[in-house]
Amino acid sequence: MAGKNLLDKVWDLHSVRELPGGQTQLMIGLHLIHEVTSPQGFQMLEDAGLPVLMPGRTFATVDHIVPTDDLSRPLADPLAEEMLSTLEQNTEKHAVRFFAIGSGHQGVLHVVGPEMGLTQPGMTIACGDSHTSTHGAFGAIAFGIGTSQVRDVLASQCLALVRPKVRRIVIDGELGSGVTAKDVILHIIRVLGVKGGVGYAYEYAGSVVEHMTMEERMTLCNMSIEGGARVGYVNPDRITFDYLEGRTHAPEGEAFARAIEWWKTIVSDADASYDDEVAIPASDIAPTVTWGINPGHAISIGESLPRVESLPDDERGSAEEAYGFMQLEPGAPIAGTRINVAFIGSCTNGRLSDLREAAKIAQGRKVEAHVRALVVPGSELVKKQAEAEGLHEIFEAAGFEWREAGCSMCLAMNPDKLVGREMCASSSNRNFRGRQGSPTGRTLLMSPAMVAAAAVTGAVTDVREFKG
Amino acid sequence: MSKTEKITGRRGKGVVVRGHDIDTDQIIPARFMTSIRFAGLEDHVFEDLRFTADGTPKGHPFNEERFAAASILVVNRNFGCGSSREHAPQALQRWGIGALVGESFAEIFFGNCIAMGIIAVTASADDVGKLMDSIELDPDQEIAIDLESKTVTWRGGSAAVSIPDGPRQQLLEGSWDAMRNLLSASDEIRATAERIPYIDGF
């Protein structure tokens, strides 16, 4: 009999029982909550007269609505203040750990969980946010849920879910200079499509992934959902264990040694079976930029925008819609596209290594006069670490605004928004119409280094031109 | 709506929203999700597709009087891609939608619909196209979705629909609100927690 992949091992361990019709009642080992999807969940619990079953397995922070310039209370937006206050009250009432603004650990939940050592291999993790797949970088099975399911986890520490199939995506070879984890995942989405992952968990493997840092693996897993895969994961290894060692909520001492031995057992077996396998040569991947209105509308920096007639039939409609919205010209190179805003941040690319890469480009250069540029650290801790390295001074000297931690312009629920038809070079994860706060605002997704390059030239630019 | 309602199907007028990959940001833009309550989302469903930035109406089925009483939404491929936030199906349900027929749905959006008692069934692209054409020609007709026979019927036609067995059973049995069912396994929950090494810190 063939061995098992990580998803099957973790799923079987957490299976409480099988439910009729092919669903599993799955125990959720770690529940992360934020201010946007939890208030109604707590209210439903209250209406049902139920407690939080395992408050010690739930952790909260505030990230979507938090301003990144003025954090004084009450927040300037009364709705944001109400949302934050409600989370504070709910976490206090139910004895849920809350990382408040100013605690040193507030920030984007998918940055905070890992940096606090909460996210660990072999866990099942749920959060009311699609980018929960980020935590799969550790070899956890992590997925986004909606508010009714947030209520279910609070009440029962369980969810009713269908076990996904597993597609192994093998990326072998070496990435070229200037090619980052963001480019890898944008390339995968381009190749497999925005629906390609529906019904699947993605297992990322191959020498490229084996050599990635944890922060790079998080970027990779984060955008699994953009490819339709609710879950994306990487098998844990020494890189994972080293990252976790010494973190606040990670096991310590002898427990850490025992944890490592256990974590090794949940790695996919060498003879594990998969429902599908896809090979992607690293040599195919170049710095990648989106041009349209979903993350699958992406091309390499050296390419020209695709002509509608060259696309598969079922993609022509959305391409035409994209061109109408983006006001870009088929056949034109993507390089040279003028931008108005540059945004570095988000759960996809708001970590310390992301800021370092962007700072290398910003160093000694100036943001173009017509560009507004924001750097938003993914958490208070990232901000502190970046400042200890002097990154904020590099950015500010270059003309970037150095901000407080939060989701910010990734989805613009806070005051950081595009205006009118502004075009934004963004290190975030979605380029849907209106995503960044203006109904007619336009988004080009790319890596943080590429965003910095665009900021200092005023247009989409091949970052490799800066690397020599 | 009773939380234990058995949902064997839906009958009602239809509304058509054409286009593939309609994401959750189109269904409910993030800037309208800042309330701690779901109430009011219905005022902003498809907002940016229906209105210009200054509030002038654009052409959109949800703006058309002939679809104002619709409760069955017919869509194309990969509807609801994007966010796991439940705000998108909440906006639709509060607007009056009780069922969707589509070529396909994003996985999390689909799960959220079922959790809220919204029927979401798929049909072939050809059948969806016929249904769309029929509704647009005759918006006042009644569309019927039957989960027992797995069909959608409209004036002049009918088609097979698909829905995974688990969610279908949940709707039919009135157990689509999963919480009570999950809690009924309290002994098994405790036993599972005891066998997971990290729960007690290794």
Side-chain angles (χ1 to χ4, degrees):
Chain A
M1 170 181 160
K4 292 165 76 171
N5 57 54
L6 181 146
L7 183 126
D8 286 335
K9 293 184 183 187
V10 175
W11 193 277
D12 290 345
L13 174 69
H14 291 78
S15 177
V16 173
R17 57 177 177 161
E18 293 307 310
L19 298 169
Q23 285 183 316
T24 305
Q25 179 164 341
L26 198 75
M27 170 149 272
I28 300 304
L30 176 64
H31 187 200
L32 302 171
I33 63 173
H34 60 85
E35 74 282 13
V36 177
T37 51
S38 67
Q40 301 90 340
F42 278 113
Q43 187 62 55
M44 292 180 215
L45 210 70
E46 192 135 344
D47 293 344
L50 290 165
V52 173
L53 185 67
M54 297 175 77
R57 302 307 311 176
T58 299
F59 294 82
T61 192
V62 56
D63 53 14
H64 284 62
I65 52 86
V66 62
T68 61
D69 49 5
D70 176 14
L71 294 174
S72 54
R73 304 289 296 275
L75 300 177
D77 178 353
L79 285 178
E81 173 62 33
E82 183 179 36
M83 202 165 248
L84 173 50
S85 302
T86 301
L87 183 58
E88 288 169 333
Q89 291 157 25
N90 282 328
T91 50
E92 180 171 352
K93 173 174 182 176
H94 295 281
V96 164
R97 181 70 187 274
F98 174 56
F99 301 124
I101 295 168
S103 64
H105 301 299
Q106 175 266 334
V108 181
L109 201 36
H110 309 310
V111 177
V112 169
E115 74 188 12
M116 295 294 290
L118 289 169
T119 306
Q120 294 166 22
M123 284 185 165
T124 49
I125 301 176
C127 173
D129 186 87
S130 340
H131 294 105
T132 309
S133 54
T134 309
H135 305 266
F138 291 76
I141 299 304
F143 34 81
I145 57 178
T147 295
S148 292
Q149 290 178 310
V150 167
R151 172 208 61 186
D152 293 347
V153 179
L154 291 170
S156 68
Q157 207 65 34
C158 295
L159 286 170
L161 293 168
V162 175
R163 184 193 295 246
K165 295 180 285 185
V166 183
R167 171 177 291 137
R168 185 168 145 97
I169 300 178
V170 182
I171 309 137
D172 272 327
E174 278 185 27
L175 295 178
S177 166
V179 182
T180 69
K182 181 67 161 285
D183 303 302
V184 174
I185 187 61
L186 286 174
H187 181 78
I188 289 170
I189 295 166
R190 179 185 180 187
V191 170
L192 297 180
V194 294
K195 302 169 290 292
V198 174
Y200 281 93
Y202 280 172
E203 174 177 301
Y204 301 104
S207 58
V208 165
V209 179
E210 286 157 14
H211 287 98
M212 280 184 174
T213 65
M214 289 313 294
E215 296 200 346
E216 290 171 314
R217 293 176 181 181
M218 285 187 253
T219 296
L220 186 69
C221 292
N222 175 271
M223 287 185 74
S224 303
I225 189 64
E226 270 60 62
R230 196 172 184 176
V231 171
Y233 69 84
V234 173
N235 282 291
D237 56 11
R238 175 57 51 187
I239 291 171
T240 317
F241 310 153
D242 288 351
Y243 177 93
L244 282 168
E245 185 164 19
R247 293 193 181 266
T248 306
H249 288 271
E252 54 191 19
E254 284 305 308
F256 189 69
R258 287 193 298 272
I260 288 182
E261 290 314 302
W262 183 67
W263 291 336
K264 288 175 178 175
T265 70
I266 60 109
V267 173
S268 296
D269 296 328
D271 60 343
S273 62
Y274 296 92
D275 298 282
D276 191 36
E277 195 153 331
V278 171
I280 296 196
S283 53
D284 284 358
I285 308 171
T288 302
V289 181
T290 65
W291 54 269
I293 55 176
N294 73 49
H297 292 152
I299 52 175
S300 297
I301 184 63
E303 290 182 83
S304 298
L305 300 168
R307 299 195 182 274
V308 173
E309 56 270 22
S310 73
L311 296 170
D313 279 355
D314 61 358
E315 286 175 35
R316 292 182 189 181
S318 82
E320 277 165 2
E321 204 172 358
Y323 280 126
F325 184 82
M326 299 295 288
Q327 290 290 288
L328 296 176
E329 198 68 38
I334 186 67
T337 303
R338 192 177 196 265
I339 65 158
N340 310 100
V341 178
F343 170 66
I344 295 170
S346 86
C347 55
T348 312
N349 281 119
R351 298 180 185 81
L352 184 60
S353 60
D354 299 311
L355 303 188
R356 285 177 181 148
E357 287 303 307
K360 285 179 191 170
I361 304 302
Q363 177 107 57
R365 299 188 172 97
K366 286 283 190 186
V367 171
E368 188 73 7
H370 71 265
V371 174
R372 173 165 59 108
L374 276 72
V375 180
V376 183
S379 71
E380 287 177 343
L381 183 58
V382 169
K383 181 168 190 279
K384 181 179 175 184
Q385 291 168 332
E387 288 175 349
E389 295 186 10
L391 300 187
H392 63 309
E393 287 164 351
I394 292 172
F395 285 121
E396 285 173 339
F400 289 82
E401 299 176 47
W402 179 246
R403 295 295 194 92
E404 303 290 347
C407 298
S408 181
M409 207 174 271
C410 178
L411 83 172
M413 286 186 70
N414 82 336
D416 303 341
K417 297 185 194 297
L418 295 184
V419 176
R421 293 189 43 74
E422 280 181 326
M423 180 84 84
C424 181
S426 184
S427 72
S428 57
N429 47 52
R430 287 191 180 147
N431 53 336
F432 299 152
R433 287 166 286 180
R435 178 69 179 182
Q436 292 188 293
S438 165
T440 52
R442 298 170 288 167
T443 301
L444 304 169
L445 301 175
M446 59 190 81
S447 73
M450 288 280 289
V451 174
V456 300
T457 65
V460 176
T461 303
D462 191 335
V463 69
R464 295 172 297 189
E465 293 170 12
F466 290 81
K467 301 222 172 194
Chain B
M1 175 188 292
S2 161
K3 273 304 197 177
T4 57
E5 178 190 1
K6 292 177 175 155
I7 300 172
T8 60
R10 295 271 187 217
R11 307 175 73 92
K13 296 178 184 181
V15 57
V16 173
V17 173
R18 293 181 182 267
H20 301 312
D21 305 318
I22 294 178
D23 57 79
T24 49
D25 286 17
Q26 305 313 303
I27 300 170
I28 183 71
R31 66 188 187 278
F32 299 116
M33 298 193 318
T34 53
S35 170
I36 61 171
R37 286 162 281 271
F38 288 134
L41 289 177
E42 64 275 15
D43 295 332
H44 301 293
V45 66
F46 295 117
E47 171 98 10
D48 292 341
L49 298 176
R50 294 171 61 189
F51 302 100
T52 61
D54 65 7
T56 306
K58 297 193 250 184
H60 191 277
F62 270 56
N63 285 342
E64 296 182 45
E65 191 56 38
R66 60 184 182 139
F67 296 124
S71 60
I72 296 177
L73 174 59
V74 186
V75 297
N76 292 116
R77 202 175 57 228
N78 203 28
F79 187 80
C81 57
S83 183
S84 72
R85 281 176 282 274
E86 197 172 281
H87 295 66
Q90 286 280 350
L92 290 166
Q93 186 178 63
R94 287 163 188 276
W95 189 87
I97 297 298
L100 292 94
V101 181
E103 292 173 48
S104 64
F105 299 103
E107 188 173 341
I108 304 182
F109 175 85
F110 172 84
N112 283 341
C113 285
I114 303 302
M116 293 166 54
I118 300 174
I119 293 172
V121 294
T122 58
S124 71
D126 192 45
D127 288 330
V128 166
K130 286 175 178 151
L131 177 56
M132 286 179 157
D133 291 342
S134 180
I135 290 169
E136 286 169 345
L137 280 171
D138 181 7
D140 287 331
Q141 67 170 299
E142 186 168 78
I143 311 299
I145 298 168
D146 185 338
L147 290 178
E148 282 168 341
S149 61
K150 291 193 272 188
T151 57
V152 58
T153 306
W154 62 94
R155 188 171 303 163
S158 72
V161 297
S162 296
I163 179 171
D165 221 30
R168 175 168 167 271
Q169 288 301 322
Q170 287 174 334
L171 292 168
L172 287 172
E173 293 167 6
S175 61
W176 43 269
D177 183 354
M179 182 175 67
R180 294 292 179 184
N181 191 31
L182 293 170
L183 279 170
S184 72
S186 59
D187 289 342
E188 293 94 325
I189 292 170
R190 197 161 30 251
T192 304
E194 282 166 2
R195 74 164 182 261
I196 297 174
Y198 65 83
I199 296 265
D200 65 5
F202 298 98

